[in-house]
Amino acid sequence: MALFSPSLISPQVIKSLKQGYAIRPLEKADYGKGFLETLGSLTTVGAVTKQQFEERFEYLKTRNDTYFTIVVEDIAKSRIIGAGSVVVERKFVHGCGLVGHIEDIVTAESARGLNLGRLIIETLKEIGRKNGCYKIDCSEKNIPFYQKCGFSQKEYEMAWYIPENDKAVQAKL
């Protein structure tokens, strides 16, 4: 069961993948294929049980016009080696327009150098375009990479972290 319709994935990106790899929407079965471990090479994931993963998956699936998480799978190994998300925000500005926010772009260390990051970004940009986004943005981290993917620097992002709401931080205490 896919998080959203696979028809949103660009056929050009699918064709450009090396044989033995697939790019597709996140599926429930990806819990057992190392999805969280791959995310863990990007940031703190914490101890997420299968039940928690499935509950979050179902929540996201019921909002399949907002949350779009994709994965790259090494088919022979049945392992997730890359992932990324675009979250579609509904705005009042730009005529009640839509903005896509790219998040959590990651490739497993073993898969670096395969050009998967660029393919993940291209896929997420296309998903945003097909969903009517007037703009797609991403974090200021790794600016040269995003510039290669067609982004231009616009602003700087600020963040306010709330430790008592971060389950990963709380688990360490």
Side-chain angles (χ1 to χ4, degrees), residues 73-124:
E73 181 179 357
D74 179 329
I75 296 168
K77 295 179 180 175
S78 198
R79 297 297 295 170
I80 302 304
I81 58 169
S85 298
V86 62
V87 179
V88 177
E89 177 186 7
R90 278 127 184 89
K91 309 282 279 184
F92 285 105
V93 299
H94 290 264
C96 289
L98 304 174
V99 174
H101 303 287
I102 289 181
E103 302 279 340
D104 303 332
I105 304 304
V106 63
T107 55
E109 279 195 42
S110 63
R112 303 237 167 104
L114 297 175
N115 209 23
L116 297 178
R118 187 186 62 74
L119 293 174
I120 291 167
I121 295 295
E122 291 305 316
T123 300
L124 297 174

